[in-house]
Amino acid sequence: MKFSIVITTKDAIFNALTFKGDLIEGIRIAKNLGYSAVELAVRDPKLVDYSEILKVLKEENMAISAIGTGRAFTEEGLSLSSFDKKGREEAIKRIKEDIDLAEKFNSFVIIGLVRGKPEDKEKALKILKESIKECGEYAQKLGIKILIEPINSSETTLLNKFSETYKFIEELGLENLGILADTYHINKEERSVYDTFINYRDKIWYVHVSDDNRGIPGTGNLDFSEVFRALKNINYNGYISLECVSNLSIEETGKKNLEFLKRFL
Ligand code: LER
Ligand code: MN
């Protein structure tokens, strides 16, 4: 298992992005804390100076685990399930640009909140499927994998459960589509954290961690011994990326997380 931490720029609004500040500084801090990667939450990937980041990744022997895309929805309202054709095309274009950025870093691309939050769920799911098909095929040509994240029903109306998400991926039939398992959302939507990891093991390619209060693991009531019992059983060797709300500094937050999680290894 490899540890990662979500970082983004200062102007971001969504509050579960672990570190908001200078990206280069974020990479260096994460490295010093013992992480092997950072997950970049970007609004517009065209604004990211990837050559500077690539240089620092090499110097620090660090990786970009994934490109998070939710800010395009939370800050600009771009949605892959938009009923408005132009809006939907704009969202697809943005995700393709995220895929281009991911190619520079050889990282995953996450489809989380950018799926939108439409009321007409049935119609929206069909549109979403078409959008993800287009993005998935584009990514496949570049050798990039896309992660679809089941998100709890207070944040979105689409793909809340693992069963639904798994079926959605199967129907699309694209081999570069997998699942991002976020402990916070699993705790809200699924009966058993352990069974969720076991049942969907073949598609779980990435993990987000936070506690049931969305804080640092260990600050709430989520049973992380069950999470790690499952991860060990499925021989998970991917990233465990910290996506939490914290009032502490990134140094204290990142340190507390690793100290707590490493107890279960
Ligand atoms: C949203 O709650 C979340 O977990 C993010 O990873 C989605 O972009
Ligand atoms: Mn998440």
Side-chain angles (χ1 to χ4, degrees):
M1 284 178 241
K2 299 172 283 187
F3 291 95
S4 174
I5 187 163
V6 180
I7 68 168
T8 193
T9 48
K10 252 203 169 63
D11 54 325
I13 295 168
F14 188 63
N15 65 1
L17 302 164
T18 309
F19 170 70
K20 294 179 186 173
D22 179 63
L23 298 179
I24 300 292
E25 190 193 339
I27 294 169
R28 293 216 161 100
I29 295 173
K31 164 77 183 191
N32 286 337
L33 291 172
Y35 287 82
S36 54
V38 295
E39 177 183 319
L40 285 189
V42 305
R43 183 181 63 75
D44 185 343
K46 296 190 292 305
L47 305 178
V48 175
D49 180 359
Y50 64 85
S51 55
E52 171 75 2
I53 294 176
L54 277 172
K55 204 177 96 200
V56 176
L57 292 175
K58 207 170 164 199
E59 276 167 24
E60 303 284 354
N61 189 25
M62 288 283 280
I64 304 290
S65 52
I67 302 294
T69 60
R71 290 184 57 192
F73 175 69
T74 54
E75 292 169 38
E76 292 179 68
L78 294 183
S79 160
L80 291 174
S81 67
S82 175
F83 295 172
D84 167 54
K85 191 166 175 274
K86 246 184 111 195
R88 175 177 162 255
E89 280 168 2
E90 217 183 306
I92 293 173
K93 181 169 169 273
R94 180 65 61 85
I95 295 298
K96 287 181 178 172
E97 290 161 356
D98 287 310
I99 294 165
D100 291 338
L101 181 65
E103 193 203 7
K104 310 274 184 235
F105 303 131
N106 191 25
S107 53
F108 290 106
V109 171
I110 300 169
I111 305 280
L113 294 168
V114 75
R115 79 196 60 179
K117 197 181 180 179
E119 272 171 28
D120 186 345
K121 184 174 162 163
E122 220 165 293
K123 182 174 168 199
L125 263 181
K126 283 193 193 130
I127 298 174
L128 181 65
K129 196 173 270 171
E130 284 306 308
S131 300
I132 294 186
K133 183 169 184 277
E134 187 172 339
C135 296
E137 285 170 352
Y138 181 82
Q140 200 165 37
K141 285 191 195 125
L142 298 177
I144 294 300
K145 292 189 172 113
I146 292 183
L147 304 162
I148 303 180
E149 179 178 25
I151 291 180
N152 82 80
S153 58
S154 67
E155 292 181 47
T156 180
T157 45
L158 306 173
L159 307 178
N160 308 119
K161 304 258 187 243
F162 274 65
S163 54
E164 253 184 304
T165 311
Y166 192 89
K167 188 168 155 258
F168 184 87
I169 289 173
E170 267 190 332
E171 285 166 2
L172 276 164
L174 282 167
E175 280 184 4
N176 61 331
L177 297 182
I179 294 180
L180 188 170
D182 182 321
T183 56
Y184 174 75
H185 299 304
I186 295 175
N187 180 66
K188 288 199 152 196
E189 292 289 334
E190 307 291 332
R191 285 219 187 112
S192 149
V193 186
Y194 181 83
D195 290 347
T196 303
F197 280 101
I198 301 297
N199 292 343
Y200 303 99
R201 60 193 296 162
D202 61 313
K203 277 291 173 189
I204 295 178
W205 295 347
Y206 198 93
V207 174
H208 270 166
V209 281
S210 65
D211 217 310
D212 63 346
N213 54 6
R214 205 132 219 200
I216 307 167
T219 62
N221 294 306
L222 205 144
D223 188 354
F224 279 93
S225 67
E226 283 292 278
V227 173
F228 281 85
R229 187 165 72 88
L231 291 176
K232 271 181 213 162
N233 273 350
I234 65 172
N235 290 319
Y236 181 76
N237 59 13
Y239 285 106
I240 311 240
S241 191
L242 176 64
E243 181 191 53
C244 72
V245 179
S246 169
N247 294 324
L248 303 174
S249 68
I250 181 182
E251 287 87 353
E252 289 170 295
T253 303
K255 187 165 173 268
K256 240 180 135 172
N257 175 57
L258 273 194
E259 274 174 7
F260 178 73
L261 295 185
K262 283 193 169 170
R263 283 194 234 163
F264 301 104
L265 293 182

